[in-house]
Amino acid sequence: NIFKEFIEKGKTVLSNRSFRIMLGLYLLSYTAMDIFMAIFIYYVKWYMNIYAMESAKILFLGSYTGLLGIFMISEVLSIPVYTHLANKLGKKISFMISTGLWAFATILLFLMAAPNRELIFLIIPAVLMGFGAGGVAYLPWAMLPETMDVEELKTGVRKDGIYSGFLTFIRQLSQAVALAIVGLFLDSIDYNVGGIIEGLKNSGVIPALTLDGEGMTDFYRNIIFAKVNENASIGSSIKLFTSLAPCLLLIASCLVASLYPIDISSYKLLKDEIKNRNTKDPESLEKLKKMTGK
């Protein structure tokens, strides 16, 4: 049946050592990205208090949308840089640079950003994180064809569809896990902004407005922000989680990437061996063993 076939295909791809390592760094780094993207809106509103200052921001640079736009633009602009680095240094080193840069930027975000502080202290980490995220988004998929070549070396057959399909499945699974982690975190800090707002409405502290309604002025937004952070330290908890969770996952991803056995020279060996299958050199054979796991 379908489930049995999926298990068999999974065993096939997971027997490839290079793919297993690539899958590990991919899962860790993409989970970091998903967690950051999911928690960032809460960070902007309930730690930075930008929600309370929304109407005062010029060109929306201080809004969630504007900051996310800065992150995305920086991510896109970084792709040519990582393409160049991958050609010069190899994909492994380039990926380690990208995860290291993003991890550093999360620490910078933790140290620099504070409620109602100047926008530059949030924009600088956002730019650096976006630049790091470009490598995280691009390089694992650039490594995938290399791992397919390892499969061809092992079996003499290319199985590109199986590898691409399995990675796509794992991507969807990791995204679900990341969102579950964020949900569990918000539950652990008793995050209930909707209930707080309804309580303020019912008590007459703020008028019966929607969360982002036309009449929701900065005055009322500041009241909501103060109430949210009054007892449970929601803002400080979100601050710590926004920096710490991605940082730890990115560092772990960087460490896993250091085990990736394919670099520029070994990839040339791999392609030559696929073509000729004649190496007798012990050092070359050891490199091929590290790539295949066989």
Side-chain angles (χ1 to χ4, degrees):
N1 56 38
I2 295 176
F3 182 73
K4 183 179 180 181
E5 184 179 356
F6 174 79
I7 296 297
E8 291 175 353
K9 301 298 184 184
K11 288 180 179 179
T12 298
V13 298
L14 292 176
S15 67
N16 181 335
R17 182 174 184 268
S18 295
F19 182 77
R20 290 199 305 271
I21 294 171
M22 189 278 290
L23 184 64
L25 64 87
Y26 175 84
L27 277 172
L28 290 165
S29 60
Y30 265 73
T31 301
M33 182 182 293
D34 289 334
I35 286 175
F36 175 77
M37 300 296 278
I39 199 66
F40 191 56
I41 187 170
Y42 300 95
Y43 178 88
V44 169
K45 286 189 174 184
W46 305 119
Y47 173 69
M48 288 299 296
N49 196 18
I50 286 177
Y51 173 75
M53 300 295 292
E54 194 81 30
S55 63
K57 302 305 176 185
I58 299 174
L59 299 178
F60 301 103
L61 290 179
S63 68
Y64 166 73
T65 304
L67 289 167
L68 195 60
I70 291 170
F71 178 90
M72 293 293 189
I73 291 170
S74 180
E75 181 180 348
V76 171
L77 292 177
S78 73
I79 299 299
V81 177
Y82 287 114
T83 301
H84 176 74
L85 287 176
N87 291 331
K88 295 287 288 185
L89 304 176
K91 298 179 181 70
K92 175 175 77 172
I93 300 298
S94 301
F95 181 82
M96 293 174 70
I97 290 172
S98 71
T99 52
L101 177 60
W102 193 357
F104 169 76
T106 62
I107 296 171
L108 202 63
L109 180 71
F110 183 83
L111 297 175
M112 291 177 64
N116 301 313
R117 202 171 188 185
E118 290 82 356
L119 281 177
I120 192 67
F121 291 102
L122 191 55
I123 291 174
I124 289 175
V127 170
L128 291 176
M129 283 190 289
F131 211 86
V136 169
Y138 160 65
L139 289 166
W141 288 96
M143 294 174 177
L144 179 61
E146 296 178 338
T147 65
M148 295 174 181
D149 287 334
V150 173
E151 177 66 32
E152 185 177 5
L153 174 67
K154 284 176 55 186
T155 64
V157 179
R158 292 193 66 87
K159 301 177 181 178
D160 298 5
I162 297 174
Y163 275 76
S164 298
F166 190 82
L167 194 63
T168 300
F169 167 76
I170 293 297
R171 171 74 187 109
Q172 299 302 316
L173 183 63
S174 71
Q175 194 170 38
V177 170
L179 294 176
I181 290 171
V182 172
L184 290 171
F185 162 73
L186 293 174
D187 186 59
S188 72
I189 62 173
D190 296 323
Y191 178 85
N192 184 24
V193 172
I196 291 172
I197 293 173
E198 286 302 315
L200 291 172
K201 290 178 184 178
N202 295 334
S203 62
V205 175
I206 63 173
L209 303 167
T210 59
L211 185 59
D212 292 304
E214 183 178 346
M216 185 63 80
T217 65
D218 286 342
F219 175 76
Y220 295 126
R221 290 190 177 106
N222 273 309
I223 292 175
I224 295 170
F225 178 82
K227 188 66 176 177
V228 168
N229 287 276
E230 186 178 62
N231 298 318
S233 300
I234 289 177
S236 59
S237 297
I238 290 175
K239 173 192 178 182
L240 183 63
F241 182 82
T242 302
S243 293
L244 186 62
C247 184
L248 292 177
L249 288 167
L250 290 165
I251 290 172
S253 180
C254 186
L255 293 174
V256 172
S258 68
L259 302 174
Y260 187 67
I262 304 176
D263 55 25
I264 293 174
S265 63
S266 64
Y267 187 63
K268 290 179 181 178
L269 170 65
L270 171 63
K271 297 296 286 185
D272 182 68
E273 186 66 11
I274 290 173
K275 182 179 179 180
N276 300 311
R277 297 184 180 273
N278 63 359
T279 187
K280 300 294 188 294
D281 175 50
E283 184 178 346
S284 296
L285 288 170
E286 184 62 27
K287 288 182 179 179
L288 294 169
K289 181 181 177 182
K290 286 182 179 179
M291 283 188 263
T292 61
K294 302 289 184 182

PDB file of all heavy atoms in Angstrom, residues 9 12-13 15-16 144-163 270-271 273-275 277 292:
ATOM      1  N   LYS A   9      10.590   3.989   0.395  1.00  0.00           N
ATOM      2  CA  LYS A   9      11.285   5.108  -0.245  1.00  0.00           C
ATOM      3  C   LYS A   9      12.073   5.909   0.775  1.00  0.00           C
ATOM      4  O   LYS A   9      13.177   6.393   0.502  1.00  0.00           O
ATOM      5  CB  LYS A   9      10.283   6.015  -0.962  1.00  0.00           C
ATOM      6  CG  LYS A   9       9.443   5.340  -2.038  1.00  0.00           C
ATOM      7  CD  LYS A   9      10.278   4.789  -3.159  1.00  0.00           C
ATOM      8  CE  LYS A   9       9.397   4.220  -4.265  1.00  0.00           C
ATOM      9  NZ  LYS A   9      10.171   3.586  -5.342  1.00  0.00           N
ATOM     10  N   THR A  12      15.271   4.309   1.508  1.00  0.00           N
ATOM     11  CA  THR A  12      16.204   4.494   0.388  1.00  0.00           C
ATOM     12  C   THR A  12      16.967   5.802   0.524  1.00  0.00           C
ATOM     13  O   THR A  12      18.201   5.828   0.457  1.00  0.00           O
ATOM     14  CB  THR A  12      15.442   4.486  -0.948  1.00  0.00           C
ATOM     15  OG1 THR A  12      14.814   3.216  -1.126  1.00  0.00           O
ATOM     16  CG2 THR A  12      16.386   4.761  -2.112  1.00  0.00           C
ATOM     17  N   VAL A  13      16.258   6.892   0.729  1.00  0.00           N
ATOM     18  CA  VAL A  13      16.927   8.194   0.784  1.00  0.00           C
ATOM     19  C   VAL A  13      17.724   8.355   2.071  1.00  0.00           C
ATOM     20  O   VAL A  13      18.791   8.983   2.083  1.00  0.00           O
ATOM     21  CB  VAL A  13      15.921   9.351   0.613  1.00  0.00           C
ATOM     22  CG1 VAL A  13      15.240   9.272  -0.746  1.00  0.00           C
ATOM     23  CG2 VAL A  13      14.873   9.361   1.723  1.00  0.00           C
ATOM     24  N   SER A  15      19.328   6.122   3.652  1.00  0.00           N
ATOM     25  CA  SER A  15      20.558   5.329   3.636  1.00  0.00           C
ATOM     26  C   SER A  15      21.717   6.121   3.046  1.00  0.00           C
ATOM     27  O   SER A  15      22.869   5.688   3.112  1.00  0.00           O
ATOM     28  CB  SER A  15      20.345   4.043   2.837  1.00  0.00           C
ATOM     29  OG  SER A  15      20.151   4.330   1.460  1.00  0.00           O
ATOM     30  N   ASN A  16      21.413   7.273   2.465  1.00  0.00           N
ATOM     31  CA  ASN A  16      22.415   8.164   1.859  1.00  0.00           C
ATOM     32  C   ASN A  16      22.934   9.112   2.946  1.00  0.00           C
ATOM     33  O   ASN A  16      22.210   9.978   3.421  1.00  0.00           O
ATOM     34  CB  ASN A  16      21.752   8.942   0.721  1.00  0.00           C
ATOM     35  CG  ASN A  16      22.710   9.877   0.006  1.00  0.00           C
ATOM     36  OD1 ASN A  16      23.706  10.327   0.554  1.00  0.00           O
ATOM     37  ND2 ASN A  16      22.375  10.196  -1.233  1.00  0.00           N
ATOM     38  N   LEU A 144      20.854  19.691  -2.507  1.00  0.00           N
ATOM     39  CA  LEU A 144      20.044  18.502  -2.824  1.00  0.00           C
ATOM     40  C   LEU A 144      20.531  17.766  -4.066  1.00  0.00           C
ATOM     41  O   LEU A 144      20.657  16.533  -4.031  1.00  0.00           O
ATOM     42  CB  LEU A 144      18.573  18.906  -2.971  1.00  0.00           C
ATOM     43  CG  LEU A 144      17.596  17.788  -3.332  1.00  0.00           C
ATOM     44  CD1 LEU A 144      17.586  16.710  -2.236  1.00  0.00           C
ATOM     45  CD2 LEU A 144      16.178  18.344  -3.527  1.00  0.00           C
ATOM     46  N   PRO A 145      20.837  18.448  -5.199  1.00  0.00           N
ATOM     47  CA  PRO A 145      21.321  17.701  -6.371  1.00  0.00           C
ATOM     48  C   PRO A 145      22.618  16.942  -6.104  1.00  0.00           C
ATOM     49  O   PRO A 145      22.840  15.872  -6.693  1.00  0.00           O
ATOM     50  CB  PRO A 145      21.522  18.805  -7.424  1.00  0.00           C
ATOM     51  CG  PRO A 145      20.618  19.908  -7.001  1.00  0.00           C
ATOM     52  CD  PRO A 145      20.637  19.871  -5.506  1.00  0.00           C
ATOM     53  N   GLU A 146      23.461  17.482  -5.218  1.00  0.00           N
ATOM     54  CA  GLU A 146      24.694  16.778  -4.871  1.00  0.00           C
ATOM     55  C   GLU A 146      24.386  15.449  -4.188  1.00  0.00           C
ATOM     56  O   GLU A 146      25.024  14.434  -4.459  1.00  0.00           O
ATOM     57  CB  GLU A 146      25.559  17.642  -3.956  1.00  0.00           C
ATOM     58  CG  GLU A 146      26.055  18.926  -4.593  1.00  0.00           C
ATOM     59  CD  GLU A 146      26.870  19.771  -3.644  1.00  0.00           C
ATOM     60  OE1 GLU A 146      26.720  19.611  -2.413  1.00  0.00           O
ATOM     61  OE2 GLU A 146      27.656  20.608  -4.126  1.00  0.00           O
ATOM     62  N   THR A 147      23.403  15.466  -3.294  1.00  0.00           N
ATOM     63  CA  THR A 147      23.041  14.226  -2.605  1.00  0.00           C
ATOM     64  C   THR A 147      22.394  13.228  -3.570  1.00  0.00           C
ATOM     65  O   THR A 147      22.508  12.014  -3.383  1.00  0.00           O
ATOM     66  CB  THR A 147      22.098  14.505  -1.428  1.00  0.00           C
ATOM     67  OG1 THR A 147      20.851  15.008  -1.900  1.00  0.00           O
ATOM     68  CG2 THR A 147      22.710  15.521  -0.475  1.00  0.00           C
ATOM     69  N   MET A 148      21.723  13.744  -4.611  1.00  0.00           N
ATOM     70  CA  MET A 148      21.183  12.857  -5.635  1.00  0.00           C
ATOM     71  C   MET A 148      22.302  12.189  -6.425  1.00  0.00           C
ATOM     72  O   MET A 148      22.190  11.016  -6.816  1.00  0.00           O
ATOM     73  CB  MET A 148      20.273  13.647  -6.578  1.00  0.00           C
ATOM     74  CG  MET A 148      19.018  14.203  -5.936  1.00  0.00           C
ATOM     75  SD  MET A 148      18.113  15.254  -7.107  1.00  0.00           S
ATOM     76  CE  MET A 148      16.720  15.780  -6.099  1.00  0.00           C
ATOM     77  N   ASP A 149      23.384  12.930  -6.643  1.00  0.00           N
ATOM     78  CA  ASP A 149      24.541  12.339  -7.329  1.00  0.00           C
ATOM     79  C   ASP A 149      25.162  11.228  -6.480  1.00  0.00           C
ATOM     80  O   ASP A 149      25.665  10.237  -7.011  1.00  0.00           O
ATOM     81  CB  ASP A 149      25.592  13.416  -7.616  1.00  0.00           C
ATOM     82  CG  ASP A 149      25.162  14.359  -8.733  1.00  0.00           C
ATOM     83  OD1 ASP A 149      24.360  13.934  -9.587  1.00  0.00           O
ATOM     84  OD2 ASP A 149      25.617  15.517  -8.741  1.00  0.00           O
ATOM     85  N   VAL A 150      25.147  11.396  -5.162  1.00  0.00           N
ATOM     86  CA  VAL A 150      25.645  10.340  -4.274  1.00  0.00           C
ATOM     87  C   VAL A 150      24.807   9.079  -4.438  1.00  0.00           C
ATOM     88  O   VAL A 150      25.332   7.963  -4.457  1.00  0.00           O
ATOM     89  CB  VAL A 150      25.650  10.823  -2.803  1.00  0.00           C
ATOM     90  CG1 VAL A 150      25.997   9.676  -1.864  1.00  0.00           C
ATOM     91  CG2 VAL A 150      26.618  11.975  -2.606  1.00  0.00           C
ATOM     92  N   GLU A 151      23.502   9.249  -4.570  1.00  0.00           N
ATOM     93  CA  GLU A 151      22.614   8.105  -4.799  1.00  0.00           C
ATOM     94  C   GLU A 151      22.971   7.398  -6.102  1.00  0.00           C
ATOM     95  O   GLU A 151      22.998   6.158  -6.171  1.00  0.00           O
ATOM     96  CB  GLU A 151      21.159   8.567  -4.842  1.00  0.00           C
ATOM     97  CG  GLU A 151      20.142   7.487  -5.146  1.00  0.00           C
ATOM     98  CD  GLU A 151      20.054   6.443  -4.036  1.00  0.00           C
ATOM     99  OE1 GLU A 151      20.256   6.796  -2.855  1.00  0.00           O
ATOM    100  OE2 GLU A 151      19.772   5.272  -4.363  1.00  0.00           O
ATOM    101  N   GLU A 152      23.271   8.190  -7.128  1.00  0.00           N
ATOM    102  CA  GLU A 152      23.656   7.590  -8.413  1.00  0.00           C
ATOM    103  C   GLU A 152      24.969   6.818  -8.276  1.00  0.00           C
ATOM    104  O   GLU A 152      25.147   5.760  -8.897  1.00  0.00           O
ATOM    105  CB  GLU A 152      23.785   8.677  -9.478  1.00  0.00           C
ATOM    106  CG  GLU A 152      24.074   8.122 -10.860  1.00  0.00           C
ATOM    107  CD  GLU A 152      24.130   9.192 -11.933  1.00  0.00           C
ATOM    108  OE1 GLU A 152      24.034  10.387 -11.594  1.00  0.00           O
ATOM    109  OE2 GLU A 152      24.281   8.829 -13.122  1.00  0.00           O
ATOM    110  N   LEU A 153      25.905   7.348  -7.475  1.00  0.00           N
ATOM    111  CA  LEU A 153      27.154   6.632  -7.248  1.00  0.00           C
ATOM    112  C   LEU A 153      26.896   5.295  -6.560  1.00  0.00           C
ATOM    113  O   LEU A 153      27.507   4.283  -6.888  1.00  0.00           O
ATOM    114  CB  LEU A 153      28.087   7.492  -6.389  1.00  0.00           C
ATOM    115  CG  LEU A 153      29.389   6.828  -5.941  1.00  0.00           C
ATOM    116  CD1 LEU A 153      30.282   6.561  -7.140  1.00  0.00           C
ATOM    117  CD2 LEU A 153      30.113   7.692  -4.918  1.00  0.00           C
ATOM    118  N   LYS A 154      25.992   5.294  -5.586  1.00  0.00           N
ATOM    119  CA  LYS A 154      25.701   4.083  -4.813  1.00  0.00           C
ATOM    120  C   LYS A 154      25.020   3.008  -5.650  1.00  0.00           C
ATOM    121  O   LYS A 154      25.368   1.829  -5.577  1.00  0.00           O
ATOM    122  CB  LYS A 154      24.796   4.424  -3.623  1.00  0.00           C
ATOM    123  CG  LYS A 154      25.473   5.115  -2.469  1.00  0.00           C
ATOM    124  CD  LYS A 154      24.437   5.488  -1.416  1.00  0.00           C
ATOM    125  CE  LYS A 154      23.648   4.274  -0.985  1.00  0.00           C
ATOM    126  NZ  LYS A 154      22.543   4.609  -0.070  1.00  0.00           N
ATOM    127  N   THR A 155      24.016   3.423  -6.413  1.00  0.00           N
ATOM    128  CA  THR A 155      23.125   2.444  -7.048  1.00  0.00           C
ATOM    129  C   THR A 155      23.210   2.415  -8.576  1.00  0.00           C
ATOM    130  O   THR A 155      22.683   1.498  -9.195  1.00  0.00           O
ATOM    131  CB  THR A 155      21.665   2.734  -6.662  1.00  0.00           C
ATOM    132  OG1 THR A 155      21.279   4.020  -7.185  1.00  0.00           O
ATOM    133  CG2 THR A 155      21.493   2.749  -5.145  1.00  0.00           C
ATOM    134  N   GLY A 156      23.820   3.454  -9.148  1.00  0.00           N
ATOM    135  CA  GLY A 156      23.851   3.540 -10.603  1.00  0.00           C
ATOM    136  C   GLY A 156      22.572   4.095 -11.200  1.00  0.00           C
ATOM    137  O   GLY A 156      22.428   4.161 -12.423  1.00  0.00           O
ATOM    138  N   VAL A 157      21.628   4.507 -10.325  1.00  0.00           N
ATOM    139  CA  VAL A 157      20.329   5.005 -10.784  1.00  0.00           C
ATOM    140  C   VAL A 157      20.048   6.347 -10.116  1.00  0.00           C
ATOM    141  O   VAL A 157      20.278   6.514  -8.916  1.00  0.00           O
ATOM    142  CB  VAL A 157      19.192   4.017 -10.439  1.00  0.00           C
ATOM    143  CG1 VAL A 157      17.844   4.559 -10.895  1.00  0.00           C
ATOM    144  CG2 VAL A 157      19.473   2.656 -11.052  1.00  0.00           C
ATOM    145  N   ARG A 158      19.563   7.309 -10.875  1.00  0.00           N
ATOM    146  CA  ARG A 158      19.146   8.588 -10.294  1.00  0.00           C
ATOM    147  C   ARG A 158      17.700   8.467  -9.803  1.00  0.00           C
ATOM    148  O   ARG A 158      16.852   7.896 -10.486  1.00  0.00           O
ATOM    149  CB  ARG A 158      19.248   9.721 -11.311  1.00  0.00           C
ATOM    150  CG  ARG A 158      20.677  10.062 -11.702  1.00  0.00           C
ATOM    151  CD  ARG A 158      20.752  11.381 -12.445  1.00  0.00           C
ATOM    152  NE  ARG A 158      20.392  12.507 -11.597  1.00  0.00           N
ATOM    153  CZ  ARG A 158      21.257  13.145 -10.818  1.00  0.00           C
ATOM    154  NH1 ARG A 158      22.513  12.744 -10.740  1.00  0.00           N
ATOM    155  NH2 ARG A 158      20.868  14.174 -10.092  1.00  0.00           N
ATOM    156  N   LYS A 159      17.455   9.009  -8.618  1.00  0.00           N
ATOM    157  CA  LYS A 159      16.118   8.936  -8.015  1.00  0.00           C
ATOM    158  C   LYS A 159      15.684  10.334  -7.579  1.00  0.00           C
ATOM    159  O   LYS A 159      15.287  10.557  -6.436  1.00  0.00           O
ATOM    160  CB  LYS A 159      16.146   7.966  -6.830  1.00  0.00           C
ATOM    161  CG  LYS A 159      16.579   6.554  -7.212  1.00  0.00           C
ATOM    162  CD  LYS A 159      16.681   5.632  -6.012  1.00  0.00           C
ATOM    163  CE  LYS A 159      17.142   4.240  -6.405  1.00  0.00           C
ATOM    164  NZ  LYS A 159      17.288   3.339  -5.243  1.00  0.00           N
ATOM    165  N   ASP A 160      15.750  11.268  -8.524  1.00  0.00           N
ATOM    166  CA  ASP A 160      15.506  12.673  -8.202  1.00  0.00           C
ATOM    167  C   ASP A 160      14.110  12.904  -7.644  1.00  0.00           C
ATOM    168  O   ASP A 160      13.927  13.677  -6.701  1.00  0.00           O
ATOM    169  CB  ASP A 160      15.706  13.542  -9.455  1.00  0.00           C
ATOM    170  CG  ASP A 160      17.123  13.476  -9.986  1.00  0.00           C
ATOM    171  OD1 ASP A 160      17.914  12.677  -9.439  1.00  0.00           O
ATOM    172  OD2 ASP A 160      17.446  14.202 -10.937  1.00  0.00           O
ATOM    173  N   GLY A 161      13.111  12.255  -8.222  1.00  0.00           N
ATOM    174  CA  GLY A 161      11.732  12.461  -7.784  1.00  0.00           C
ATOM    175  C   GLY A 161      11.518  12.037  -6.340  1.00  0.00           C
ATOM    176  O   GLY A 161      10.823  12.713  -5.577  1.00  0.00           O
ATOM    177  N   ILE A 162      12.120  10.902  -5.958  1.00  0.00           N
ATOM    178  CA  ILE A 162      11.978  10.407  -4.584  1.00  0.00           C
ATOM    179  C   ILE A 162      12.605  11.392  -3.602  1.00  0.00           C
ATOM    180  O   ILE A 162      12.021  11.728  -2.572  1.00  0.00           O
ATOM    181  CB  ILE A 162      12.628   9.019  -4.445  1.00  0.00           C
ATOM    182  CG1 ILE A 162      11.911   8.001  -5.335  1.00  0.00           C
ATOM    183  CG2 ILE A 162      12.605   8.561  -3.001  1.00  0.00           C
ATOM    184  CD1 ILE A 162      12.586   6.642  -5.368  1.00  0.00           C
ATOM    185  N   TYR A 163      13.793  11.877  -3.943  1.00  0.00           N
ATOM    186  CA  TYR A 163      14.499  12.792  -3.047  1.00  0.00           C
ATOM    187  C   TYR A 163      13.740  14.119  -2.910  1.00  0.00           C
ATOM    188  O   TYR A 163      13.559  14.627  -1.792  1.00  0.00           O
ATOM    189  CB  TYR A 163      15.915  13.052  -3.568  1.00  0.00           C
ATOM    190  CG  TYR A 163      16.910  12.002  -3.137  1.00  0.00           C
ATOM    191  CD1 TYR A 163      16.936  10.741  -3.740  1.00  0.00           C
ATOM    192  CD2 TYR A 163      17.814  12.252  -2.126  1.00  0.00           C
ATOM    193  CE1 TYR A 163      17.834   9.769  -3.337  1.00  0.00           C
ATOM    194  CE2 TYR A 163      18.730  11.289  -1.718  1.00  0.00           C
ATOM    195  CZ  TYR A 163      18.733  10.045  -2.332  1.00  0.00           C
ATOM    196  OH  TYR A 163      19.627   9.086  -1.911  1.00  0.00           O
ATOM    197  N   LEU A 270      33.466  12.881  -6.870  1.00  0.00           N
ATOM    198  CA  LEU A 270      32.187  12.175  -6.961  1.00  0.00           C
ATOM    199  C   LEU A 270      31.734  12.039  -8.411  1.00  0.00           C
ATOM    200  O   LEU A 270      31.370  10.947  -8.870  1.00  0.00           O
ATOM    201  CB  LEU A 270      31.136  12.924  -6.140  1.00  0.00           C
ATOM    202  CG  LEU A 270      29.680  12.484  -6.271  1.00  0.00           C
ATOM    203  CD1 LEU A 270      29.501  11.057  -5.776  1.00  0.00           C
ATOM    204  CD2 LEU A 270      28.767  13.436  -5.505  1.00  0.00           C
ATOM    205  N   LYS A 271      31.770  13.131  -9.167  1.00  0.00           N
ATOM    206  CA  LYS A 271      31.319  13.105 -10.561  1.00  0.00           C
ATOM    207  C   LYS A 271      32.229  12.221 -11.420  1.00  0.00           C
ATOM    208  O   LYS A 271      31.748  11.489 -12.296  1.00  0.00           O
ATOM    209  CB  LYS A 271      31.284  14.522 -11.117  1.00  0.00           C
ATOM    210  CG  LYS A 271      30.290  15.447 -10.424  1.00  0.00           C
ATOM    211  CD  LYS A 271      28.844  14.998 -10.600  1.00  0.00           C
ATOM    212  CE  LYS A 271      28.325  15.249 -11.980  1.00  0.00           C
ATOM    213  NZ  LYS A 271      26.872  14.919 -12.109  1.00  0.00           N
ATOM    214  N   GLU A 273      33.955   9.652 -10.349  1.00  0.00           N
ATOM    215  CA  GLU A 273      33.739   8.253  -9.990  1.00  0.00           C
ATOM    216  C   GLU A 273      32.435   7.725 -10.577  1.00  0.00           C
ATOM    217  O   GLU A 273      32.343   6.544 -10.966  1.00  0.00           O
ATOM    218  CB  GLU A 273      33.739   8.106  -8.467  1.00  0.00           C
ATOM    219  CG  GLU A 273      33.672   6.681  -7.969  1.00  0.00           C
ATOM    220  CD  GLU A 273      34.904   5.855  -8.313  1.00  0.00           C
ATOM    221  OE1 GLU A 273      35.913   6.434  -8.767  1.00  0.00           O
ATOM    222  OE2 GLU A 273      34.848   4.613  -8.146  1.00  0.00           O
ATOM    223  N   ILE A 274      31.411   8.577 -10.656  1.00  0.00           N
ATOM    224  CA  ILE A 274      30.159   8.171 -11.307  1.00  0.00           C
ATOM    225  C   ILE A 274      30.428   7.805 -12.768  1.00  0.00           C
ATOM    226  O   ILE A 274      29.893   6.825 -13.293  1.00  0.00           O
ATOM    227  CB  ILE A 274      29.107   9.298 -11.212  1.00  0.00           C
ATOM    228  CG1 ILE A 274      28.617   9.447  -9.770  1.00  0.00           C
ATOM    229  CG2 ILE A 274      27.922   9.013 -12.137  1.00  0.00           C
ATOM    230  CD1 ILE A 274      27.718  10.640  -9.557  1.00  0.00           C
ATOM    231  N   LYS A 275      31.291   8.596 -13.397  1.00  0.00           N
ATOM    232  CA  LYS A 275      31.581   8.393 -14.819  1.00  0.00           C
ATOM    233  C   LYS A 275      32.480   7.177 -15.062  1.00  0.00           C
ATOM    234  O   LYS A 275      32.231   6.371 -15.970  1.00  0.00           O
ATOM    235  CB  LYS A 275      32.238   9.655 -15.383  1.00  0.00           C
ATOM    236  CG  LYS A 275      32.534   9.577 -16.868  1.00  0.00           C
ATOM    237  CD  LYS A 275      33.163  10.881 -17.362  1.00  0.00           C
ATOM    238  CE  LYS A 275      33.488  10.813 -18.858  1.00  0.00           C
ATOM    239  NZ  LYS A 275      34.104  12.071 -19.329  1.00  0.00           N
ATOM    240  N   ARG A 277      34.186   5.058 -12.325  1.00  0.00           N
ATOM    241  CA  ARG A 277      34.166   4.005 -11.299  1.00  0.00           C
ATOM    242  C   ARG A 277      35.480   3.199 -11.291  1.00  0.00           C
ATOM    243  O   ARG A 277      35.474   1.978 -11.382  1.00  0.00           O
ATOM    244  CB  ARG A 277      32.981   3.059 -11.504  1.00  0.00           C
ATOM    245  CG  ARG A 277      31.642   3.767 -11.349  1.00  0.00           C
ATOM    246  CD  ARG A 277      30.475   2.820 -11.460  1.00  0.00           C
ATOM    247  NE  ARG A 277      29.214   3.533 -11.312  1.00  0.00           N
ATOM    248  CZ  ARG A 277      28.610   3.785 -10.153  1.00  0.00           C
ATOM    249  NH1 ARG A 277      29.165   3.368  -9.037  1.00  0.00           N
ATOM    250  NH2 ARG A 277      27.476   4.438 -10.104  1.00  0.00           N
ATOM    251  N   THR A 292      28.711   8.528   0.969  1.00  0.00           N
ATOM    252  CA  THR A 292      27.636   7.555   0.772  1.00  0.00           C
ATOM    253  C   THR A 292      27.192   6.881   2.061  1.00  0.00           C
ATOM    254  O   THR A 292      26.050   6.436   2.177  1.00  0.00           O
ATOM    255  CB  THR A 292      28.090   6.458  -0.199  1.00  0.00           C
ATOM    256  OG1 THR A 292      29.224   5.788   0.371  1.00  0.00           O
ATOM    257  CG2 THR A 292      28.476   7.050  -1.546  1.00  0.00           C
TER     258      THR A 292
END
